[in-house]
Amino acid sequence: RYQARVLDGLAIGPSPPWMQRRLRAVGQKPISNAVDAANYVMLELGQPLHVFDADRLQDGITVRRARAGETIACLDGRTRALDADMLTIADGRGPVAIAGIIGGADSAVSATTTRVVVEAANFLGTSVRATSRRLGVRTEASTRFEKQLHPEIVPVAAARLAELLQDVAGAGPVSPPVEVYIQRARVEPVRVAAGFFGATLGDEVPAEEVVDILHRLRFGVETDGDELVVTPPPFRLDVALPVDLVEEVGRVRGYNALPSTLPGRRLPLTRVLAAADPEWDGRELAMGAGFDEVITQSFAAAADPDMGVFPVERLRLANPMALDQQTLRTSLLPGLATVAARNLAWGVEGARVFELARVFWPAGGAELPTEARVLGFAIQLGSGARQVSAGAVRSALLELKGVVALVAERIAGMPVEFDQVPVEGLHPGRALVLRLDGQVAGCLGQVETGLAERLECGVTAVAEVNFEPIAARPRVPHPAAVSRFPEVVRDIAITVPELTPARDVVDEIAAVGEVILRSVELYDEYHGSQVGPGRKGLTVRLRFQAADRTLKGDEAAAAEARILSALASSIDARLRE
């Protein structure tokens, strides 16, 4: 589509300051009021336009293919040779513009121009792209024409430019347009069921909201029964299918507001995706804590030692394959101790291993046993008790406490309780029983010295926990907003009676109920003459933080004072001097 009209009585000069400011804001260099007005409309409506000096044209304007050997001196100062595949705008002498790309210098508007021809056209995008590539020139106009503009924008842009030229260049009355429209474009309406939007987006979208959104985007909408007949505006050539309309509605509503669903029946993802395997989660947490996975025998010899808190009555096999495989194991601890012994025999000290496997417990008279999953750990510390310090053993036991608590918390959100009571096969005074929901679920401690000599495993710390209650309650994560305000960290060094469990200190701090207290970390324990006889020292790190403000120092100090007062009255805690 090609349209031209003549304007007379122009006074070429600088464009108004408001127009220059707007053009510079988008990277355009102001040239003159006529050229700036054409660029302004292009940026405003997306339709490139061109202005010729009417007095420098001869015998009118023709839109044609270039002829062999023709050249054109372009506005950028370069002369370009044309070939027969390139579309040009020509007068009686030859090309005055390369269609859709750049104008010629011989017909350009100058300071003496008083009459102009305003060109508004629509060219085939593929033709403009091919010419631009062959000539090696890319302009603001060619960039837009390559994407294929709609022909219906041509008269709107031409009328807008004529109006601006009257305002900024003093042009007189506008002549009637002369136009050639070879193949009239037709905007095809799109028919779509009203429920298609909700079915595709995965969220209910009322038909009234769909109509409102499309009207705001300048789409024409009519209702035909349960269907909507939508007519895109001329400048939306990209909308031709129902899914294109769904995209428009979705982006206006906001993609972040849509739920996570899958196509079809649109079930929530949590009802479709298989639940995570707790066993793999347990293995990943154990390996992340620095332990290597091992696989031990499910069978045990009748003479193997009893260890742990799980049932010690073993089921005998009717036809064992070997003398050391006569029974089914009820605990992982003997097998893990054997792994530590084998590593020690090969001169490898410091083995850190874990196993997540099944054990076999008598089922109260039933023919088949209960096959429970158990997670076990072992840390080999050295070949003899004289070579391993008490501090190293204590550190290993604390590490085992931490990894067991980590597994229970990360997978099931379950707290683990520890009680210091005797355990079969573990060192007296260095053994703990684990409880989940108040029920005995495992143990940890150092392998008893005599048993360690019998197994030849040296100084070894072990732990095991029943994995069944953990796997039965996978935790559903509930993300919480992170506070934007800084935290206040306070360390308190206290002394408590020597037999006071550290857990009692943490529980008492939590029971105080300070709303700004975010976490309690017990990271040091001290035994020595400096804390006095019958007492031990503990260092506790308190983290205070508010969700709605920056805490003041006196707020944290007041909360710390209330915590210390509660500790003093309940467990005889005193500040270390």
Side-chain angles (χ1 to χ4, degrees):
R1 183 174 190 173
Y2 193 91
Q3 187 182 102
R5 65 179 71 198
V6 177
L7 281 81
D8 201 351
L10 277 76
I12 302 300
S15 54
W18 66 265
M19 182 176 286
Q20 293 190 35
R21 285 196 303 270
R22 292 189 177 187
L23 290 175
R24 287 194 179 97
V26 293
Q28 290 281 333
K29 178 182 178 182
I31 299 174
S32 67
N33 47 11
V35 176
D36 291 352
N39 289 334
Y40 188 90
V41 175
M42 176 188 68
L43 296 168
E44 187 178 46
L45 300 179
Q47 169 68 48
L49 300 118
H50 189 66
V51 180
F52 296 101
D53 186 331
D55 295 327
R56 301 175 72 177
L57 297 174
Q58 293 184 6
D59 302 328
I61 288 178
T62 303
V63 182
R64 63 171 174 81
R65 298 284 181 183
R67 300 187 180 105
E70 285 188 319
T71 61
I72 180 173
C74 300
L75 288 171
D76 61 358
R78 295 181 56 184
T79 299
R80 292 180 171 85
L82 308 177
D83 59 40
D85 294 328
M86 299 178 182
L87 192 66
T88 66
I89 313 301
D91 64 0
R93 294 172 299 181
V96 294
I98 304 174
I101 300 177
I102 193 170
D106 294 339
S107 59
V109 173
S110 65
T112 61
T113 299
T114 58
R115 295 173 63 241
V116 296
V117 175
V118 173
E119 171 197 273
N122 181 273
F123 304 109
L124 190 63
T126 53
S127 173
V128 175
R129 185 183 306 113
T131 301
S132 175
R133 287 183 177 179
R134 294 189 66 174
L135 294 176
V137 56
R138 189 176 179 85
T139 62
E140 292 281 352
S142 67
T143 300
R144 288 165 171 79
F145 279 124
E146 287 176 6
K147 296 178 173 63
Q148 191 57 60
L149 302 176
H150 199 286
E152 293 302 317
I153 310 176
V154 167
V156 178
R160 172 63 171 154
L161 177 55
E163 178 188 24
L164 272 181
L165 288 176
Q166 289 176 322
D167 291 341
V168 304
V174 182
S175 71
V178 178
E179 181 178 77
V180 177
Y181 198 174
I182 299 175
Q183 184 177 353
R184 188 167 295 275
R186 181 172 177 269
V187 179
E188 294 291 339
V190 181
R191 301 183 71 92
V192 56
F196 182 71
F197 295 89
T200 307
L201 292 174
D203 193 17
E204 183 179 356
V205 185
E208 297 79 9
E209 184 179 357
V210 172
V211 173
D212 176 65
I213 290 175
L214 294 177
H215 275 154
R216 286 154 53 195
L217 296 176
R218 300 178 64 179
F219 287 77
V221 185
E222 296 179 359
T223 303
D224 184 7
D226 293 336
E227 289 188 326
L228 300 178
V229 182
V230 183
T231 304
F235 55 86
R236 292 304 303 272
L237 291 177
D238 57 320
V239 178
L241 300 172
V243 290
D244 298 329
L245 298 174
V246 172
E247 182 179 0
E248 297 301 308
V249 173
R251 70 181 178 87
V252 172
R253 293 186 92 230
Y255 292 127
N256 291 337
L258 298 176
S260 296
T261 60
L262 291 176
R265 295 175 59 194
R266 286 296 179 189
L267 296 174
L269 287 177
T270 53
R271 294 177 54 191
V272 176
L273 299 178
D277 187 350
E279 289 193 23
W280 283 110
D281 290 342
R283 289 187 173 94
E284 288 183 357
L285 289 170
M287 288 186 286
F291 291 82
D292 297 312
E293 185 174 11
V294 297
I295 300 175
T296 61
Q297 288 282 351
S298 298
F299 307 111
D304 279 357
D306 295 326
M307 299 179 66
V309 294
F310 296 140
V312 294
E313 181 185 350
R314 301 183 199 150
L315 296 173
R316 289 183 170 272
L317 299 177
N319 54 345
M321 293 183 292
L323 293 177
D324 59 349
Q325 299 179 3
Q326 297 172 333
T327 63
L328 293 173
R329 66 183 176 188
T330 59
S331 170
L332 297 180
L333 298 186
L336 292 173
T338 301
V339 171
R342 288 179 179 173
N343 277 272
L344 197 58
W346 284 92
V348 179
E349 295 185 357
R352 299 161 56 86
V353 297
F354 81 94
E355 182 176 12
L356 177 53
R358 295 188 181 274
V359 296
F360 306 89
W361 298 334
E367 182 178 353
L368 296 176
T370 299
E371 300 185 22
R373 289 171 293 181
V374 172
L375 176 61
F377 299 89
I379 301 177
Q380 209 287 320
L381 297 171
S383 58
R386 294 182 179 179
Q387 300 175 351
V388 181
S389 66
V393 175
R394 184 182 301 111
S395 177
L397 296 179
L398 290 174
E399 184 176 355
L400 290 176
K401 285 180 62 178
V403 71
V404 170
L406 175 70
V407 170
E409 169 60 28
R410 288 288 182 86
I411 298 178
M414 302 174 67
V416 183
E417 298 177 2
F418 300 92
D419 292 327
Q420 190 169 0
V421 296
V423 176
E424 183 75 24
L426 300 184
H427 196 290
R430 295 182 179 176
L432 298 175
V433 169
L434 317 180
R435 299 182 188 275
L436 295 174
D437 288 339
Q439 302 296 318
V440 174
C443 63
L444 70 84
Q446 177 188 346
V447 178
E448 193 269 328
T449 304
L451 180 58
E453 293 176 355
R454 174 183 165 189
L455 297 175
E456 300 180 344
C457 65
V459 179
T460 301
V462 294
E464 68 176 348
V465 60
N466 185 0
F467 198 71
E468 294 296 342
I470 297 175
R473 274 180 23 187
R475 179 172 65 96
V476 178
H478 297 285
V482 178
S483 176
R484 299 184 295 109
F485 302 98
E487 62 181 18
V488 177
V489 180
R490 298 272 186 162
D491 290 346
I492 57 173
I494 59 175
T495 66
V496 296
E498 191 169 9
L499 298 181
T500 301
R503 183 187 67 191
D504 291 353
V505 176
V506 176
D507 290 345
E508 184 61 34
I509 293 174
V512 175
E514 290 293 338
V515 294
I516 60 173
L517 180 64
R518 287 292 174 265
S519 67
V520 181
E521 179 185 357
L522 177 68
Y523 71 89
D524 184 49
E525 180 176 332
Y526 175 76
H527 296 263
S529 59
Q530 295 182 3
V531 297
R535 300 184 71 84
K536 62 181 178 181
L538 300 175
T539 305
V540 181
R541 174 161 293 173
L542 308 176
R543 297 180 184 273
F544 300 98
Q545 188 179 41
D548 57 349
R549 68 188 188 281
T550 299
L551 285 179
K552 298 180 179 178
D554 54 357
E555 292 181 89
E560 178 186 347
R562 287 190 291 268
I563 290 173
L564 290 172
S565 176
L567 291 176
S569 61
S570 61
I571 57 176
D572 189 23
R574 309 169 192 167
L575 278 174
R576 275 183 65 181
E577 297 178 356

